[in-house]
Amino acid sequence: MYENEKGYLIVDVHVHPKRRGVLIVDEILNVMDEDNVKLSILLARDTDPNDLNRPDVKDTMVEKLRRSDFLVHMGMDDFFHVFELFMLMRERLSRTVSNVELANIVKQHPGRFLGLGSINLCKSEEYVRDKLREIDELSLAGAKFWPQLQFFNPAESENYRIVCEHFQKKGKIIMMHTGTCPGPWEIPELSEDANPKLLEPVLRDYDVQVIIAHFGYYSATCPGIWFKEALELGRKYANVWFDISAVAYILREEKIVEAIRNNVGFDKVLFGSDYIEYVKPSIDIIINNPHLKENEKERILGLNAVELFKLKM
Ligand SMILES: [Zn+2]
């Protein structure tokens, strides 16, 4: 087993293989070697700019914008700003990583990566069932979802239930983006479907393993936005896990470490980076953390991921 100098086994469960639409697999491998990351879990992303042309999606987005402070703050012509915002969204939604593309990367580097596919849940039931079949055929470990970019509310989406039922049967993992999202989705109203509390109705009905990415904490505009709701889920459901991708810095605060320990427990917290720039700083925050116990550090950095993904190391 390849380990870092302090002997920690490190698994990074949250890695995007592209930066601004360009593959960075070689850079990821370099960082993994440098920082002794044993395995990384790469994420596909199934989003579609054309969803914004659908009247239901467009109307909902406009309604959310009207409720937000955004237009008030702009203080100018509404129509122009909404148009500009939709252009930005369109560009963001075109940054996709297909399941096939992802599976090929995993296959090309045996032992280095696992893959979580992605399914755009605002599409038809037929589309969703096709993608589930694809994820099975490509041997992907589960799927990553972004409620605000895939325009679904997890509490109401029938497609989300279909996924939960299928993954429960297959033992596959769901990763759910929580918090706001870079770009226009930093406006909290546009991201409100990514509030972890919306996962509760379905968690009651399915025994599927769900990772709450970013602890409900991530938001450039309102950091900590749905952290309380995330902890609440962790307190109630044993099949809920959390990753600290993009928010490892919150573990510097003793009060936060205690809140996680008391509500969730560190045997449910996974190491994740989001982007390679965060790998080293995030590992350092954990390894040198005065508030974490030694066995908690081991669990977060790798052992929890070994358990959840049934890794053979
Ligand atoms: Zn991410």
Side-chain angles (χ1 to χ4, degrees):
M1 198 190 293
Y2 183 45
E3 290 167 333
N4 56 338
E5 61 268 35
K6 290 196 180 169
Y8 295 105
L9 168 70
I10 302 178
V11 179
D12 186 342
V13 304
H14 191 131
V15 179
H16 298 285
K18 290 186 184 175
R19 188 195 283 122
R20 287 178 219 96
V22 182
L23 276 176
I24 52 163
V25 177
D26 289 336
E27 287 172 64
I28 292 170
L29 286 166
N30 284 339
V31 168
M32 287 171 69
D33 289 340
E34 268 167 41
D35 300 325
N36 299 318
V37 175
K38 170 89 175 160
L39 185 94
S40 288
I41 295 178
L42 300 179
L43 311 175
R45 174 156 140 162
D46 185 19
T47 53
D48 180 4
N50 294 321
D51 290 338
L52 289 170
N53 299 337
R54 287 169 40 168
D56 57 328
V57 171
K58 209 190 312 185
D59 290 353
T60 311
M61 296 303 272
V62 170
E63 182 271 319
K64 287 178 177 177
L65 275 176
R66 293 210 179 283
R67 251 193 299 122
S68 78
D69 293 345
F70 175 75
L71 293 171
V72 180
H73 282 317
M74 297 316 286
M76 287 163 72
D77 175 49
D78 287 6
F79 176 76
F80 175 72
H81 286 292
V82 172
F83 178 77
E84 214 179 28
L85 212 68
F86 270 70
M87 293 292 284
L88 270 170
M89 288 185 206
R90 215 167 265 291
E91 191 277 322
R92 291 271 172 172
L93 294 174
S94 65
R95 298 181 192 177
T96 59
V97 181
S98 79
N99 295 331
V100 172
E101 203 176 4
L102 189 85
N104 281 335
I105 301 169
V106 174
K107 221 176 290 165
Q108 279 159 19
H109 304 278
R112 307 302 303 273
F113 298 129
L114 269 187
L116 287 178
S118 185
I119 309 175
N120 188 344
L121 292 187
C122 72
K123 304 289 189 190
S124 67
E125 179 181 337
E126 193 192 354
Y127 178 91
V128 172
R129 294 205 185 271
D130 277 349
K131 289 285 167 190
L132 286 171
R133 214 169 300 128
E134 183 178 71
I135 284 170
D136 289 343
E137 281 165 11
L138 295 169
S139 304
L140 296 170
K144 161 92 189 261
F145 301 91
W146 285 262
Q148 67 268 66
L149 307 185
Q150 296 167 329
F151 307 106
F152 71 97
N153 175 341
E156 293 167 0
S157 163
E158 273 312 307
N159 281 338
Y160 182 54
R161 285 183 174 270
I162 291 170
V163 170
C164 288
E165 193 181 334
H166 187 81
F167 280 7
Q168 178 183 304
K169 218 167 19 188
K170 298 275 176 179
K172 291 190 193 266
I173 313 291
I174 288 173
M175 181 184 280
M176 190 62 70
H177 177 93
T178 63
T180 61
C181 214
W185 288 276
E186 288 290 4
I187 298 170
E189 284 79 0
L190 293 189
S191 277
E192 62 196 7
D193 286 339
N195 183 331
K197 79 172 182 200
L198 298 174
L199 299 169
E200 176 148 19
V202 177
L203 277 170
R204 269 188 231 123
D205 297 342
Y206 299 95
D207 189 25
V208 59
Q209 306 300 312
V210 181
I211 302 172
I212 310 292
H214 318 300
F215 248 116
Y217 202 100
Y218 172 82
S219 172
T221 41
C222 331
I225 184 161
W226 296 309
F227 184 53
K228 234 179 60 198
E229 288 84 347
L231 291 179
E232 181 73 13
L233 271 192
R235 207 166 51 75
K236 286 194 189 159
Y237 298 94
N239 49 329
V240 174
W241 303 70
F242 298 85
D243 85 32
I244 52 134
S245 60
V247 297
Y249 70 92
I250 68 175
L251 298 177
R252 287 200 184 108
E253 268 184 64
E254 189 172 7
K255 252 175 43 197
I256 288 190
V257 169
E258 265 169 26
I260 295 173
R261 189 181 287 129
N262 296 335
N263 287 284
V264 175
F266 282 101
D267 50 358
K268 284 290 160 55
V269 179
L270 305 154
F271 175 75
S273 61
D274 220 13
Y275 292 98
I276 48 176
E277 293 76 6
Y278 299 151
V279 175
K280 190 167 169 33
S282 304
I283 292 174
D284 287 346
I285 287 169
I286 294 166
I287 291 185
N288 302 316
N289 197 307
H291 317 306
L292 288 171
K293 297 169 191 151
E294 195 53 35
N295 70 312
E296 291 172 335
K297 295 178 186 178
E298 287 172 357
R299 301 283 322 182
I300 302 168
L301 286 168
L303 297 183
N304 291 333
V306 170
E307 182 187 326
L308 175 61
F309 287 93
K310 300 187 172 68
L311 305 175
K312 292 180 190 75
M313 297 258 167

PDB file of all heavy atoms in Angstrom, residues 14 16 43 144 146 177 214 245 274-275, ligand 1:
ATOM      1  N   HIS A  14     -14.178  13.344  -4.490  1.00  0.00           N
ATOM      2  CA  HIS A  14     -14.897  14.403  -5.225  1.00  0.00           C
ATOM      3  C   HIS A  14     -13.934  15.153  -6.144  1.00  0.00           C
ATOM      4  O   HIS A  14     -13.328  16.155  -5.750  1.00  0.00           O
ATOM      5  CB  HIS A  14     -15.532  15.351  -4.197  1.00  0.00           C
ATOM      6  CG  HIS A  14     -16.510  16.327  -4.774  1.00  0.00           C
ATOM      7  ND1 HIS A  14     -17.764  16.520  -4.245  1.00  0.00           N
ATOM      8  CD2 HIS A  14     -16.431  17.166  -5.838  1.00  0.00           C
ATOM      9  CE1 HIS A  14     -18.410  17.438  -4.945  1.00  0.00           C
ATOM     10  NE2 HIS A  14     -17.612  17.863  -5.914  1.00  0.00           N
ATOM     11  N   HIS A  16     -13.446  16.709 -10.129  1.00  0.00           N
ATOM     12  CA  HIS A  16     -13.964  17.008 -11.471  1.00  0.00           C
ATOM     13  C   HIS A  16     -12.831  16.883 -12.480  1.00  0.00           C
ATOM     14  O   HIS A  16     -11.803  17.527 -12.321  1.00  0.00           O
ATOM     15  CB  HIS A  16     -14.551  18.419 -11.514  1.00  0.00           C
ATOM     16  CG  HIS A  16     -15.693  18.574 -10.581  1.00  0.00           C
ATOM     17  ND1 HIS A  16     -16.929  18.037 -10.850  1.00  0.00           N
ATOM     18  CD2 HIS A  16     -15.791  19.167  -9.361  1.00  0.00           C
ATOM     19  CE1 HIS A  16     -17.737  18.313  -9.840  1.00  0.00           C
ATOM     20  NE2 HIS A  16     -17.078  18.981  -8.917  1.00  0.00           N
ATOM     21  N   LEU A  43     -16.017  12.591 -11.356  1.00  0.00           N
ATOM     22  CA  LEU A  43     -17.443  12.858 -11.489  1.00  0.00           C
ATOM     23  C   LEU A  43     -17.821  13.259 -12.911  1.00  0.00           C
ATOM     24  O   LEU A  43     -17.194  14.138 -13.500  1.00  0.00           O
ATOM     25  CB  LEU A  43     -17.847  13.986 -10.531  1.00  0.00           C
ATOM     26  CG  LEU A  43     -17.374  13.841  -9.086  1.00  0.00           C
ATOM     27  CD1 LEU A  43     -17.736  15.087  -8.279  1.00  0.00           C
ATOM     28  CD2 LEU A  43     -17.970  12.598  -8.443  1.00  0.00           C
ATOM     29  N   LYS A 144     -23.551  11.390  -9.648  1.00  0.00           N
ATOM     30  CA  LYS A 144     -23.547  12.702  -8.992  1.00  0.00           C
ATOM     31  C   LYS A 144     -24.683  13.540  -9.564  1.00  0.00           C
ATOM     32  O   LYS A 144     -24.912  13.510 -10.775  1.00  0.00           O
ATOM     33  CB  LYS A 144     -22.196  13.383  -9.273  1.00  0.00           C
ATOM     34  CG  LYS A 144     -22.158  14.891  -9.086  1.00  0.00           C
ATOM     35  CD  LYS A 144     -21.723  15.279  -7.684  1.00  0.00           C
ATOM     36  CE  LYS A 144     -21.890  16.760  -7.429  1.00  0.00           C
ATOM     37  NZ  LYS A 144     -20.666  17.530  -7.568  1.00  0.00           N
ATOM     38  N   TRP A 146     -26.800  17.458  -9.470  1.00  0.00           N
ATOM     39  CA  TRP A 146     -26.838  18.883  -9.119  1.00  0.00           C
ATOM     40  C   TRP A 146     -28.288  19.347  -9.293  1.00  0.00           C
ATOM     41  O   TRP A 146     -28.695  19.676 -10.419  1.00  0.00           O
ATOM     42  CB  TRP A 146     -25.997  19.712 -10.074  1.00  0.00           C
ATOM     43  CG  TRP A 146     -24.524  19.678  -9.961  1.00  0.00           C
ATOM     44  CD1 TRP A 146     -23.725  20.592  -9.330  1.00  0.00           C
ATOM     45  CD2 TRP A 146     -23.617  18.735 -10.558  1.00  0.00           C
ATOM     46  NE1 TRP A 146     -22.402  20.261  -9.487  1.00  0.00           N
ATOM     47  CE2 TRP A 146     -22.311  19.133 -10.233  1.00  0.00           C
ATOM     48  CE3 TRP A 146     -23.792  17.578 -11.338  1.00  0.00           C
ATOM     49  CZ2 TRP A 146     -21.187  18.429 -10.657  1.00  0.00           C
ATOM     50  CZ3 TRP A 146     -22.680  16.876 -11.759  1.00  0.00           C
ATOM     51  CH2 TRP A 146     -21.392  17.299 -11.408  1.00  0.00           C
ATOM     52  N   HIS A 177     -24.971  17.350  -4.911  1.00  0.00           N
ATOM     53  CA  HIS A 177     -24.420  18.679  -4.650  1.00  0.00           C
ATOM     54  C   HIS A 177     -25.353  19.395  -3.686  1.00  0.00           C
ATOM     55  O   HIS A 177     -26.568  19.387  -3.888  1.00  0.00           O
ATOM     56  CB  HIS A 177     -24.292  19.485  -5.946  1.00  0.00           C
ATOM     57  CG  HIS A 177     -23.809  20.877  -5.718  1.00  0.00           C
ATOM     58  ND1 HIS A 177     -22.479  21.219  -5.779  1.00  0.00           N
ATOM     59  CD2 HIS A 177     -24.474  22.004  -5.370  1.00  0.00           C
ATOM     60  CE1 HIS A 177     -22.350  22.502  -5.483  1.00  0.00           C
ATOM     61  NE2 HIS A 177     -23.550  23.008  -5.232  1.00  0.00           N
ATOM     62  N   HIS A 214     -20.198  18.847   0.010  1.00  0.00           N
ATOM     63  CA  HIS A 214     -19.954  20.196   0.561  1.00  0.00           C
ATOM     64  C   HIS A 214     -20.701  20.473   1.872  1.00  0.00           C
ATOM     65  O   HIS A 214     -20.796  21.627   2.286  1.00  0.00           O
ATOM     66  CB  HIS A 214     -20.320  21.300  -0.436  1.00  0.00           C
ATOM     67  CG  HIS A 214     -19.903  21.045  -1.848  1.00  0.00           C
ATOM     68  ND1 HIS A 214     -18.588  20.872  -2.215  1.00  0.00           N
ATOM     69  CD2 HIS A 214     -20.630  20.918  -2.997  1.00  0.00           C
ATOM     70  CE1 HIS A 214     -18.531  20.657  -3.525  1.00  0.00           C
ATOM     71  NE2 HIS A 214     -19.744  20.674  -4.022  1.00  0.00           N
ATOM     72  N   SER A 245     -15.473  18.484   0.371  1.00  0.00           N
ATOM     73  CA  SER A 245     -14.892  19.133  -0.801  1.00  0.00           C
ATOM     74  C   SER A 245     -15.253  20.618  -0.812  1.00  0.00           C
ATOM     75  O   SER A 245     -16.383  21.004  -0.522  1.00  0.00           O
ATOM     76  CB  SER A 245     -15.392  18.462  -2.075  1.00  0.00           C
ATOM     77  OG  SER A 245     -16.787  18.540  -2.159  1.00  0.00           O
ATOM     78  N   ASP A 274     -12.681  18.610  -4.748  1.00  0.00           N
ATOM     79  CA  ASP A 274     -13.390  19.363  -5.785  1.00  0.00           C
ATOM     80  C   ASP A 274     -12.419  19.644  -6.927  1.00  0.00           C
ATOM     81  O   ASP A 274     -12.626  19.202  -8.037  1.00  0.00           O
ATOM     82  CB  ASP A 274     -13.984  20.688  -5.254  1.00  0.00           C
ATOM     83  CG  ASP A 274     -15.369  20.958  -5.818  1.00  0.00           C
ATOM     84  OD1 ASP A 274     -15.970  20.040  -6.403  1.00  0.00           O
ATOM     85  OD2 ASP A 274     -15.867  22.098  -5.672  1.00  0.00           O
ATOM     86  N   TYR A 275     -11.373  20.413  -6.640  1.00  0.00           N
ATOM     87  CA  TYR A 275     -10.387  20.748  -7.664  1.00  0.00           C
ATOM     88  C   TYR A 275      -8.981  20.529  -7.129  1.00  0.00           C
ATOM     89  O   TYR A 275      -8.763  20.615  -5.914  1.00  0.00           O
ATOM     90  CB  TYR A 275     -10.585  22.193  -8.137  1.00  0.00           C
ATOM     91  CG  TYR A 275     -11.876  22.315  -8.886  1.00  0.00           C
ATOM     92  CD1 TYR A 275     -13.022  22.793  -8.269  1.00  0.00           C
ATOM     93  CD2 TYR A 275     -11.971  21.852 -10.203  1.00  0.00           C
ATOM     94  CE1 TYR A 275     -14.235  22.839  -8.959  1.00  0.00           C
ATOM     95  CE2 TYR A 275     -13.173  21.897 -10.892  1.00  0.00           C
ATOM     96  CZ  TYR A 275     -14.297  22.389 -10.272  1.00  0.00           C
ATOM     97  OH  TYR A 275     -15.483  22.420 -10.943  1.00  0.00           O
TER      98      TYR A 275
HETATM   99 ZN    ZN B   1     -17.869  19.605  -7.159  1.00  0.00          ZN
END
